[in-house]
Amino acid sequence: MKSFLYGLLAARLLAAPGTALAQNTAAQHQAPTSYPVQGRVIEKSNGRGLPGVTVLVKGTTVGVSTSHDGTYSISIPKGAGTLVFSAIGFTTQEVKLTGQSTVNIALVSDAKVLSEVVVTGGLTGRARGVSVRGKHRHEQAAPTIVGYSASGLSTAPYYSPKPEPGAGETYARVQENGFQQVAKEPLSTFSIDVDAASYSNVRRFLQQGQLPPADAVRVEEMLNYFQYDYPQPATSAPEPFRVITEQAQCPWNPAHQIVQVALQARQVATEKLPPANLVFLVDVSGSMQGDDRLGLVQQSLRLLTKELRPQDKVALVVYAGAAGTVLPPTAGSERATILQAIDNLSAGGSTAGGAGLRLAYQVARQHFNKEGNNRVILCTDGDFNVGEQSDDAMERLIVQERESGVFLTVLGVGQGNYQDKKMELLADKGNGNYAYLDNLDEARRVLVQQFGGTLFTLAKDVKLQVEFNPQRVREYRLVGYENRLLATGDFNNDRKDAGELGAGHTVTALYEVVPVGAPGAVDALKYQPTKPTTAAPESAELLTVKFRYKEPQGQTSRVLTVPLAGAAQPIAEASENLRFAAAVAQFGMLLRQSDYRGTATYEATTRLAEGARRFDPDGYRAELVRLVKLAEGLRPEAYGAR
């Protein structure tokens, strides 16, 4: 029976190379069916390039999104008459096509756009009067979010009716960190987290006119989505990363201080990275049907394939009701073969995720490269319904497989049935990282721009332990990292799993600190015998940070210790890195309606982020500012909701 299933699977997924070659040869003699158009989209009020603008050929599904500086390039089908430029918060514009090769456009802000968003259920909003063309325009099908089109071009997410948040998607419960008294808990211990899935998922909700569920907002993943202008490690440094610490006045509670603890991993040129042994593990079950699911996965893997070097090897494993290998390990120089296998994928059937993971790890182990990077890249919506399904069963499976030395990257896609909880678990327990692909631009960021960081590990099991000086700190609170907390004794336990740091990655953590002498969350006790705490001078150490990490294939950890001393400066005088990180944290707390958000407002968050945009190489900080403004307009109180 297994042989029969495998035969069916292989027959469906592998096309005849000769037929494909003949078709391609014939196509070369046909007249061109499209022509290129390029240009730039700017904001009319200030002349800045607008990233993420949807450029769509009217009446088709052919479209792209503008890049970080507002530029775009699109292939126009012959006979197309109009280009449509649209972005949330701006008036949509149409341009008639007359064969021109360049179309530049300036979009005008439109306050009416947000007034067309209505709030339902107290937490979610849905856009009115927005239509999306489906594949069959004569049908009145419900529009869906689009991150990939049949033309092979990216399109930005559109508004679409969705069920109430949580109706079909699962998120792990986040119990927000509270304040700890230094007298009782002087140590704070946690694992690093370089995942960034939460931010792109939050962006998807907001761009669809909805506030995200509180548990979909993980502040640490929002912080670590962005690039920071941290200095590189010294060439002679034995550690593969540099430690950066800073303190300033807390923007959402001026009586408190904010402390930034950050890591900057060493940048490694692509040509100097070790050879890769990659296994693409693709979910081709029925739930993966759609341009924003399997279609987007195929486009994403095509982008990654073009980054491969001759010394890299790729295998392709798929799973639906059963699992099978449809491409054995193939050298990166054989791109046509790899791309053909990717193009032949199609979706249908149930989802045996456990069987797929086992087979992918088996293939990776069989071709393990002791001097290279061995990794499984799982592409799925996480909707496993055959074999291992419970979180405990999946955790046992992935913990067992990680002992092989094979790392894991999880790429999530889709919506409605999206299983964020399961995919976060897989990445956390499987020596891996996790990204959510809401469109092709995000795939390009993760798999092309951050190729080294996503796929090549410099240090594993990276843990932090912060010891606070009771003469300077009364209480502290770690902002985010709730699912990365470790017991105090775990820091010195080399068998305790922790996060991985990739080439060029940055990690940022923030502490809200109550200084000695300031009112805290808990009043001083009346009857307990305590020695009065005398505040130390500001020149004294505030805290000491210890870092523990292992080499990618090492078993014994190393320790690095860094103290932080001096006075906290006003937030306006803090570095741009700290100010922007504080703005992101504020945004996350506002979205979560955090009990610890203090005086934070969307308006204040916008000002703080706007003033920290000098370093913005890809335009993502500018995007954050627009999302903050969009979220402010989606609040229930913005519409008089009771």
mmCIF file of all heavy atoms in Angstrom, residues 172-217:
data_model
loop_
_atom_site.group_PDB
_atom_site.id
_atom_site.type_symbol
_atom_site.label_atom_id
_atom_site.label_comp_id
_atom_site.label_asym_id
_atom_site.label_seq_id
_atom_site.Cartn_x
_atom_site.Cartn_y
_atom_site.Cartn_z
ATOM 1 N N ALA A 172 -0.237 30.440 20.880
ATOM 2 C CA ALA A 172 0.095 30.057 22.251
ATOM 3 C C ALA A 172 -0.243 31.199 23.200
ATOM 4 O O ALA A 172 -0.045 32.370 22.883
ATOM 5 C CB ALA A 172 1.574 29.702 22.354
ATOM 6 N N ARG A 173 -0.753 30.859 24.360
ATOM 7 C CA ARG A 173 -1.109 31.853 25.362
ATOM 8 C C ARG A 173 0.145 32.578 25.846
ATOM 9 O O ARG A 173 1.153 31.942 26.173
ATOM 10 C CB ARG A 173 -1.797 31.173 26.545
ATOM 11 C CG ARG A 173 -2.075 32.060 27.735
ATOM 12 C CD ARG A 173 -3.195 33.020 27.468
ATOM 13 N NE ARG A 173 -3.571 33.748 28.665
ATOM 14 C CZ ARG A 173 -4.214 34.904 28.627
ATOM 15 N NH1 ARG A 173 -4.550 35.439 27.454
ATOM 16 N NH2 ARG A 173 -4.542 35.528 29.740
ATOM 17 N N VAL A 174 0.105 33.905 25.870
ATOM 18 C CA VAL A 174 1.224 34.708 26.355
ATOM 19 C C VAL A 174 0.813 35.366 27.664
ATOM 20 O O VAL A 174 -0.066 36.231 27.686
ATOM 21 C CB VAL A 174 1.639 35.788 25.329
ATOM 22 C CG1 VAL A 174 2.736 36.672 25.912
ATOM 23 C CG2 VAL A 174 2.108 35.144 24.033
ATOM 24 N N GLN A 175 1.417 34.927 28.759
ATOM 25 C CA GLN A 175 1.192 35.545 30.074
ATOM 26 C C GLN A 175 2.296 36.571 30.276
ATOM 27 O O GLN A 175 3.433 36.241 30.552
ATOM 28 C CB GLN A 175 1.227 34.489 31.180
ATOM 29 C CG GLN A 175 0.890 35.020 32.566
ATOM 30 C CD GLN A 175 -0.538 35.549 32.661
ATOM 31 O OE1 GLN A 175 -1.480 34.912 32.190
ATOM 32 N NE2 GLN A 175 -0.691 36.732 33.256
ATOM 33 N N GLU A 176 1.953 37.827 30.130
ATOM 34 C CA GLU A 176 2.951 38.893 30.088
ATOM 35 C C GLU A 176 3.804 38.933 31.355
ATOM 36 O O GLU A 176 3.315 38.762 32.472
ATOM 37 C CB GLU A 176 2.236 40.230 29.898
ATOM 38 C CG GLU A 176 3.127 41.336 29.384
ATOM 39 C CD GLU A 176 2.314 42.540 28.941
ATOM 40 O OE1 GLU A 176 1.127 42.646 29.306
ATOM 41 O OE2 GLU A 176 2.875 43.384 28.225
ATOM 42 N N ASN A 177 5.114 39.167 31.157
ATOM 43 C CA ASN A 177 6.029 39.267 32.286
ATOM 44 C C ASN A 177 5.650 40.431 33.196
ATOM 45 O O ASN A 177 5.337 41.526 32.719
ATOM 46 C CB ASN A 177 7.470 39.475 31.802
ATOM 47 C CG ASN A 177 8.030 38.255 31.106
ATOM 48 O OD1 ASN A 177 7.660 37.131 31.428
ATOM 49 N ND2 ASN A 177 8.914 38.467 30.148
ATOM 50 N N GLY A 178 5.700 40.205 34.505
ATOM 51 C CA GLY A 178 5.463 41.263 35.474
ATOM 52 C C GLY A 178 6.767 41.727 36.096
ATOM 53 O O GLY A 178 7.859 41.258 35.748
ATOM 54 N N PHE A 179 6.665 42.655 37.046
ATOM 55 C CA PHE A 179 7.849 43.170 37.725
ATOM 56 C C PHE A 179 8.339 42.172 38.765
ATOM 57 O O PHE A 179 7.548 41.527 39.463
ATOM 58 C CB PHE A 179 7.542 44.515 38.393
ATOM 59 C CG PHE A 179 7.531 45.671 37.432
ATOM 60 C CD1 PHE A 179 6.333 46.149 36.927
ATOM 61 C CD2 PHE A 179 8.718 46.265 37.026
ATOM 62 C CE1 PHE A 179 6.318 47.208 36.033
ATOM 63 C CE2 PHE A 179 8.712 47.327 36.132
ATOM 64 C CZ PHE A 179 7.509 47.802 35.636
ATOM 65 N N GLN A 180 9.657 42.047 38.857
ATOM 66 C CA GLN A 180 10.304 41.193 39.841
ATOM 67 C C GLN A 180 11.101 42.064 40.810
ATOM 68 O O GLN A 180 11.758 43.024 40.394
ATOM 69 C CB GLN A 180 11.245 40.195 39.158
ATOM 70 C CG GLN A 180 10.590 39.296 38.132
ATOM 71 C CD GLN A 180 9.589 38.346 38.743
ATOM 72 O OE1 GLN A 180 9.787 37.849 39.858
ATOM 73 N NE2 GLN A 180 8.487 38.087 38.037
ATOM 74 N N GLN A 181 11.044 41.736 42.097
ATOM 75 C CA GLN A 181 11.815 42.468 43.092
ATOM 76 C C GLN A 181 13.239 41.921 43.134
ATOM 77 O O GLN A 181 13.457 40.721 43.278
ATOM 78 C CB GLN A 181 11.162 42.333 44.468
ATOM 79 C CG GLN A 181 9.818 43.033 44.577
ATOM 80 C CD GLN A 181 9.221 42.864 45.967
ATOM 81 O OE1 GLN A 181 8.714 41.794 46.314
ATOM 82 N NE2 GLN A 181 9.280 43.918 46.763
ATOM 83 N N VAL A 182 14.196 42.814 43.012
ATOM 84 C CA VAL A 182 15.595 42.406 42.981
ATOM 85 C C VAL A 182 15.999 41.723 44.285
ATOM 86 O O VAL A 182 16.816 40.791 44.284
ATOM 87 C CB VAL A 182 16.494 43.621 42.692
ATOM 88 C CG1 VAL A 182 17.976 43.242 42.785
ATOM 89 C CG2 VAL A 182 16.186 44.193 41.317
ATOM 90 N N ALA A 183 15.425 42.162 45.405
ATOM 91 C CA ALA A 183 15.767 41.552 46.696
ATOM 92 C C ALA A 183 15.430 40.068 46.719
ATOM 93 O O ALA A 183 16.089 39.276 47.405
ATOM 94 C CB ALA A 183 15.037 42.281 47.824
ATOM 95 N N LYS A 184 14.402 39.656 45.975
ATOM 96 C CA LYS A 184 13.979 38.258 45.956
ATOM 97 C C LYS A 184 14.450 37.513 44.704
ATOM 98 O O LYS A 184 14.738 36.314 44.759
ATOM 99 C CB LYS A 184 12.461 38.170 46.056
ATOM 100 C CG LYS A 184 11.890 38.667 47.375
ATOM 101 C CD LYS A 184 10.381 38.483 47.410
ATOM 102 C CE LYS A 184 9.795 38.903 48.745
ATOM 103 N NZ LYS A 184 8.311 38.737 48.775
ATOM 104 N N GLU A 185 14.477 38.195 43.574
ATOM 105 C CA GLU A 185 14.847 37.568 42.291
ATOM 106 C C GLU A 185 15.906 38.418 41.602
ATOM 107 O O GLU A 185 15.617 39.160 40.661
ATOM 108 C CB GLU A 185 13.612 37.425 41.394
ATOM 109 C CG GLU A 185 12.529 36.524 41.939
ATOM 110 C CD GLU A 185 12.911 35.061 41.904
ATOM 111 O OE1 GLU A 185 13.879 34.712 41.203
ATOM 112 O OE2 GLU A 185 12.240 34.270 42.591
ATOM 113 N N PRO A 186 17.151 38.344 42.039
ATOM 114 C CA PRO A 186 18.189 39.197 41.436
ATOM 115 C C PRO A 186 18.615 38.763 40.039
ATOM 116 O O PRO A 186 19.263 39.531 39.326
ATOM 117 C CB PRO A 186 19.351 39.070 42.417
ATOM 118 C CG PRO A 186 19.161 37.722 43.047
ATOM 119 C CD PRO A 186 17.686 37.519 43.146
ATOM 120 N N LEU A 187 18.249 37.541 39.636
ATOM 121 C CA LEU A 187 18.680 37.007 38.343
ATOM 122 C C LEU A 187 17.501 36.868 37.382
ATOM 123 O O LEU A 187 16.428 36.401 37.763
ATOM 124 C CB LEU A 187 19.345 35.642 38.514
ATOM 125 C CG LEU A 187 20.647 35.602 39.325
ATOM 126 C CD1 LEU A 187 21.103 34.167 39.516
ATOM 127 C CD2 LEU A 187 21.736 36.416 38.628
ATOM 128 N N SER A 188 17.717 37.257 36.147
ATOM 129 C CA SER A 188 16.743 37.075 35.063
ATOM 130 C C SER A 188 17.424 36.267 33.971
ATOM 131 O O SER A 188 18.468 36.672 33.445
ATOM 132 C CB SER A 188 16.294 38.437 34.517
ATOM 133 O OG SER A 188 15.517 38.275 33.346
ATOM 134 N N THR A 189 16.842 35.109 33.617
ATOM 135 C CA THR A 189 17.483 34.187 32.677
ATOM 136 C C THR A 189 16.529 33.858 31.534
ATOM 137 O O THR A 189 15.360 33.543 31.771
ATOM 138 C CB THR A 189 17.879 32.878 33.392
ATOM 139 O OG1 THR A 189 18.606 33.184 34.586
ATOM 140 C CG2 THR A 189 18.732 31.996 32.501
ATOM 141 N N PHE A 190 17.021 33.961 30.309
ATOM 142 C CA PHE A 190 16.183 33.623 29.165
ATOM 143 C C PHE A 190 17.036 33.224 27.973
ATOM 144 O O PHE A 190 18.248 33.482 27.928
ATOM 145 C CB PHE A 190 15.252 34.791 28.801
ATOM 146 C CG PHE A 190 15.950 36.029 28.300
ATOM 147 C CD1 PHE A 190 16.046 36.305 26.948
ATOM 148 C CD2 PHE A 190 16.490 36.945 29.193
ATOM 149 C CE1 PHE A 190 16.676 37.449 26.481
ATOM 150 C CE2 PHE A 190 17.114 38.098 28.740
ATOM 151 C CZ PHE A 190 17.209 38.350 27.384
ATOM 152 N N SER A 191 16.393 32.595 26.992
ATOM 153 C CA SER A 191 17.025 32.198 25.734
ATOM 154 C C SER A 191 16.809 33.295 24.698
ATOM 155 O O SER A 191 15.775 33.972 24.703
ATOM 156 C CB SER A 191 16.404 30.889 25.235
ATOM 157 O OG SER A 191 16.654 30.694 23.859
ATOM 158 N N ILE A 192 17.769 33.484 23.812
ATOM 159 C CA ILE A 192 17.565 34.454 22.737
ATOM 160 C C ILE A 192 16.475 33.949 21.788
ATOM 161 O O ILE A 192 16.142 32.756 21.770
ATOM 162 C CB ILE A 192 18.855 34.736 21.936
ATOM 163 C CG1 ILE A 192 19.271 33.502 21.111
ATOM 164 C CG2 ILE A 192 19.966 35.221 22.830
ATOM 165 C CD1 ILE A 192 20.272 33.819 20.027
ATOM 166 N N ASP A 193 15.935 34.870 21.000
ATOM 167 C CA ASP A 193 14.892 34.523 20.027
ATOM 168 C C ASP A 193 15.093 35.395 18.798
ATOM 169 O O ASP A 193 14.976 36.621 18.876
ATOM 170 C CB ASP A 193 13.508 34.760 20.629
ATOM 171 C CG ASP A 193 12.381 34.280 19.719
ATOM 172 O OD1 ASP A 193 12.682 33.782 18.622
ATOM 173 O OD2 ASP A 193 11.209 34.414 20.112
ATOM 174 N N VAL A 194 15.437 34.788 17.661
ATOM 175 C CA VAL A 194 15.636 35.552 16.433
ATOM 176 C C VAL A 194 14.449 35.394 15.486
ATOM 177 O O VAL A 194 14.489 35.870 14.353
ATOM 178 C CB VAL A 194 16.938 35.137 15.710
ATOM 179 C CG1 VAL A 194 18.151 35.452 16.564
ATOM 180 C CG2 VAL A 194 16.917 33.644 15.356
ATOM 181 N N ASP A 195 13.386 34.723 15.946
ATOM 182 C CA ASP A 195 12.192 34.610 15.107
ATOM 183 C C ASP A 195 11.591 35.992 14.877
ATOM 184 O O ASP A 195 11.698 36.888 15.718
ATOM 185 C CB ASP A 195 11.145 33.718 15.773
ATOM 186 C CG ASP A 195 11.626 32.288 15.967
ATOM 187 O OD1 ASP A 195 12.619 31.922 15.319
ATOM 188 O OD2 ASP A 195 11.015 31.566 16.767
ATOM 189 N N ALA A 196 10.928 36.160 13.748
ATOM 190 C CA ALA A 196 10.286 37.442 13.446
ATOM 191 C C ALA A 196 8.885 37.236 12.893
ATOM 192 O O ALA A 196 8.294 38.156 12.333
ATOM 193 C CB ALA A 196 11.138 38.228 12.448
ATOM 194 N N ALA A 197 8.334 36.026 13.071
ATOM 195 C CA ALA A 197 7.045 35.698 12.464
ATOM 196 C C ALA A 197 5.921 36.587 12.975
ATOM 197 O O ALA A 197 5.001 36.941 12.231
ATOM 198 C CB ALA A 197 6.707 34.229 12.725
ATOM 199 N N SER A 198 5.966 36.963 14.247
ATOM 200 C CA SER A 198 4.862 37.725 14.830
ATOM 201 C C SER A 198 4.656 39.054 14.120
ATOM 202 O O SER A 198 3.525 39.463 13.865
ATOM 203 C CB SER A 198 5.110 37.955 16.322
ATOM 204 O OG SER A 198 4.068 38.712 16.893
ATOM 205 N N TYR A 199 5.757 39.738 13.780
ATOM 206 C CA TYR A 199 5.610 41.057 13.153
ATOM 207 C C TYR A 199 4.928 40.966 11.798
ATOM 208 O O TYR A 199 3.991 41.721 11.505
ATOM 209 C CB TYR A 199 6.966 41.748 13.002
ATOM 210 C CG TYR A 199 6.842 43.083 12.293
ATOM 211 C CD1 TYR A 199 6.424 44.217 12.984
ATOM 212 C CD2 TYR A 199 7.117 43.207 10.935
ATOM 213 C CE1 TYR A 199 6.287 45.439 12.337
ATOM 214 C CE2 TYR A 199 6.987 44.427 10.283
ATOM 215 C CZ TYR A 199 6.569 45.533 10.988
ATOM 216 O OH TYR A 199 6.429 46.733 10.339
ATOM 217 N N SER A 200 5.366 40.060 10.934
ATOM 218 C CA SER A 200 4.757 39.965 9.602
ATOM 219 C C SER A 200 3.319 39.475 9.699
ATOM 220 O O SER A 200 2.471 39.841 8.876
ATOM 221 C CB SER A 200 5.585 39.067 8.674
ATOM 222 O OG SER A 200 5.863 37.815 9.276
ATOM 223 N N ASN A 201 3.013 38.663 10.717
ATOM 224 C CA ASN A 201 1.634 38.227 10.916
ATOM 225 C C ASN A 201 0.767 39.395 11.400
ATOM 226 O O ASN A 201 -0.366 39.567 10.949
ATOM 227 C CB ASN A 201 1.595 37.076 11.920
ATOM 228 C CG ASN A 201 0.252 36.373 11.969
ATOM 229 O OD1 ASN A 201 -0.471 36.312 10.971
ATOM 230 N ND2 ASN A 201 -0.099 35.847 13.122
ATOM 231 N N VAL A 202 1.293 40.195 12.324
ATOM 232 C CA VAL A 202 0.590 41.402 12.772
ATOM 233 C C VAL A 202 0.342 42.334 11.593
ATOM 234 O O VAL A 202 -0.738 42.913 11.445
ATOM 235 C CB VAL A 202 1.401 42.118 13.874
ATOM 236 C CG1 VAL A 202 0.909 43.543 14.083
ATOM 237 C CG2 VAL A 202 1.326 41.338 15.181
ATOM 238 N N ARG A 203 1.344 42.475 10.748
ATOM 239 C CA ARG A 203 1.196 43.320 9.552
ATOM 240 C C ARG A 203 0.066 42.808 8.667
ATOM 241 O O ARG A 203 -0.732 43.593 8.133
ATOM 242 C CB ARG A 203 2.518 43.322 8.766
ATOM 243 C CG ARG A 203 2.477 44.109 7.466
ATOM 244 C CD ARG A 203 3.866 44.153 6.832
ATOM 245 N NE ARG A 203 4.341 42.820 6.490
ATOM 246 C CZ ARG A 203 5.618 42.516 6.276
ATOM 247 N NH1 ARG A 203 6.546 43.446 6.398
ATOM 248 N NH2 ARG A 203 5.968 41.287 5.959
ATOM 249 N N ARG A 204 -0.043 41.497 8.522
ATOM 250 C CA ARG A 204 -1.123 40.917 7.718
ATOM 251 C C ARG A 204 -2.490 41.298 8.272
ATOM 252 O O ARG A 204 -3.386 41.727 7.536
ATOM 253 C CB ARG A 204 -0.955 39.401 7.692
ATOM 254 C CG ARG A 204 -1.932 38.648 6.803
ATOM 255 C CD ARG A 204 -2.978 37.864 7.592
ATOM 256 N NE ARG A 204 -2.412 36.869 8.472
ATOM 257 C CZ ARG A 204 -3.150 35.973 9.132
ATOM 258 N NH1 ARG A 204 -4.476 35.966 9.017
ATOM 259 N NH2 ARG A 204 -2.594 35.119 9.968
ATOM 260 N N PHE A 205 -2.669 41.180 9.584
ATOM 261 C CA PHE A 205 -3.941 41.558 10.200
ATOM 262 C C PHE A 205 -4.257 43.028 9.943
ATOM 263 O O PHE A 205 -5.370 43.382 9.531
ATOM 264 C CB PHE A 205 -3.901 41.297 11.707
ATOM 265 C CG PHE A 205 -4.262 39.894 12.103
ATOM 266 C CD1 PHE A 205 -3.283 38.963 12.391
ATOM 267 C CD2 PHE A 205 -5.586 39.502 12.190
ATOM 268 C CE1 PHE A 205 -3.604 37.669 12.758
ATOM 269 C CE2 PHE A 205 -5.933 38.204 12.555
ATOM 270 C CZ PHE A 205 -4.935 37.285 12.837
ATOM 271 N N LEU A 206 -3.283 43.892 10.194
ATOM 272 C CA LEU A 206 -3.533 45.330 10.061
ATOM 273 C C LEU A 206 -3.829 45.716 8.623
ATOM 274 O O LEU A 206 -4.698 46.552 8.351
ATOM 275 C CB LEU A 206 -2.329 46.117 10.588
ATOM 276 C CG LEU A 206 -2.079 46.005 12.099
ATOM 277 C CD1 LEU A 206 -0.786 46.722 12.477
ATOM 278 C CD2 LEU A 206 -3.253 46.564 12.880
ATOM 279 N N GLN A 207 -3.138 45.103 7.673
ATOM 280 C CA GLN A 207 -3.366 45.428 6.267
ATOM 281 C C GLN A 207 -4.703 44.875 5.776
ATOM 282 O O GLN A 207 -5.175 45.280 4.723
ATOM 283 C CB GLN A 207 -2.208 44.899 5.413
ATOM 284 C CG GLN A 207 -0.933 45.692 5.617
ATOM 285 C CD GLN A 207 0.204 45.213 4.737
ATOM 286 O OE1 GLN A 207 0.295 44.042 4.379
ATOM 287 N NE2 GLN A 207 1.101 46.116 4.381
ATOM 288 N N GLN A 208 -5.296 43.968 6.550
ATOM 289 C CA GLN A 208 -6.628 43.482 6.224
ATOM 290 C C GLN A 208 -7.700 44.226 7.014
ATOM 291 O O GLN A 208 -8.866 43.853 6.988
ATOM 292 C CB GLN A 208 -6.734 41.976 6.503
ATOM 293 C CG GLN A 208 -5.895 41.139 5.547
ATOM 294 C CD GLN A 208 -6.027 39.653 5.822
ATOM 295 O OE1 GLN A 208 -6.288 39.241 6.942
ATOM 296 N NE2 GLN A 208 -5.838 38.845 4.799
ATOM 297 N N GLY A 209 -7.307 45.283 7.720
ATOM 298 C CA GLY A 209 -8.277 46.091 8.446
ATOM 299 C C GLY A 209 -8.698 45.500 9.763
ATOM 300 O O GLY A 209 -9.813 45.754 10.224
ATOM 301 N N GLN A 210 -7.840 44.705 10.401
ATOM 302 C CA GLN A 210 -8.161 44.077 11.683
ATOM 303 C C GLN A 210 -7.037 44.288 12.677
ATOM 304 O O GLN A 210 -5.861 44.256 12.310
ATOM 305 C CB GLN A 210 -8.372 42.571 11.514
ATOM 306 C CG GLN A 210 -9.552 42.182 10.656
ATOM 307 C CD GLN A 210 -9.624 40.674 10.512
ATOM 308 O OE1 GLN A 210 -8.738 40.073 9.936
ATOM 309 N NE2 GLN A 210 -10.660 40.077 11.051
ATOM 310 N N LEU A 211 -7.391 44.473 13.949
ATOM 311 C CA LEU A 211 -6.400 44.406 15.006
ATOM 312 C C LEU A 211 -6.103 42.935 15.284
ATOM 313 O O LEU A 211 -7.008 42.106 15.275
ATOM 314 C CB LEU A 211 -6.919 45.086 16.273
ATOM 315 C CG LEU A 211 -7.042 46.612 16.206
ATOM 316 C CD1 LEU A 211 -7.712 47.142 17.461
ATOM 317 C CD2 LEU A 211 -5.677 47.258 16.019
ATOM 318 N N PRO A 212 -4.838 42.581 15.523
ATOM 319 C CA PRO A 212 -4.495 41.169 15.734
ATOM 320 C C PRO A 212 -4.950 40.687 17.106
ATOM 321 O O PRO A 212 -5.106 41.488 18.038
ATOM 322 C CB PRO A 212 -2.962 41.171 15.650
ATOM 323 C CG PRO A 212 -2.573 42.540 16.103
ATOM 324 C CD PRO A 212 -3.656 43.457 15.591
ATOM 325 N N PRO A 213 -5.167 39.374 17.266
ATOM 326 C CA PRO A 213 -5.410 38.831 18.605
ATOM 327 C C PRO A 213 -4.204 39.135 19.496
ATOM 328 O O PRO A 213 -3.062 39.144 19.020
ATOM 329 C CB PRO A 213 -5.549 37.325 18.367
ATOM 330 C CG PRO A 213 -5.760 37.160 16.897
ATOM 331 C CD PRO A 213 -5.121 38.321 16.232
ATOM 332 N N ALA A 214 -4.450 39.373 20.778
ATOM 333 C CA ALA A 214 -3.361 39.739 21.691
ATOM 334 C C ALA A 214 -2.241 38.702 21.692
ATOM 335 O O ALA A 214 -1.054 39.053 21.702
ATOM 336 C CB ALA A 214 -3.907 39.937 23.101
ATOM 337 N N ASP A 215 -2.596 37.423 21.650
ATOM 338 C CA ASP A 215 -1.575 36.373 21.727
ATOM 339 C C ASP A 215 -0.788 36.207 20.427
ATOM 340 O O ASP A 215 0.212 35.485 20.405
ATOM 341 C CB ASP A 215 -2.213 35.040 22.127
ATOM 342 C CG ASP A 215 -2.661 35.027 23.582
ATOM 343 O OD1 ASP A 215 -2.056 35.758 24.379
ATOM 344 O OD2 ASP A 215 -3.629 34.312 23.916
ATOM 345 N N ALA A 216 -1.235 36.862 19.346
ATOM 346 C CA ALA A 216 -0.456 36.860 18.104
ATOM 347 C C ALA A 216 0.680 37.875 18.166
ATOM 348 O O ALA A 216 1.564 37.869 17.313
ATOM 349 C CB ALA A 216 -1.361 37.163 16.908
ATOM 350 N N VAL A 217 0.640 38.752 19.178
ATOM 351 C CA VAL A 217 1.639 39.814 19.312
ATOM 352 C C VAL A 217 2.707 39.364 20.308
ATOM 353 O O VAL A 217 2.476 39.330 21.512
ATOM 354 C CB VAL A 217 0.988 41.128 19.794
ATOM 355 C CG1 VAL A 217 2.041 42.232 19.888
ATOM 356 C CG2 VAL A 217 -0.139 41.538 18.861
#
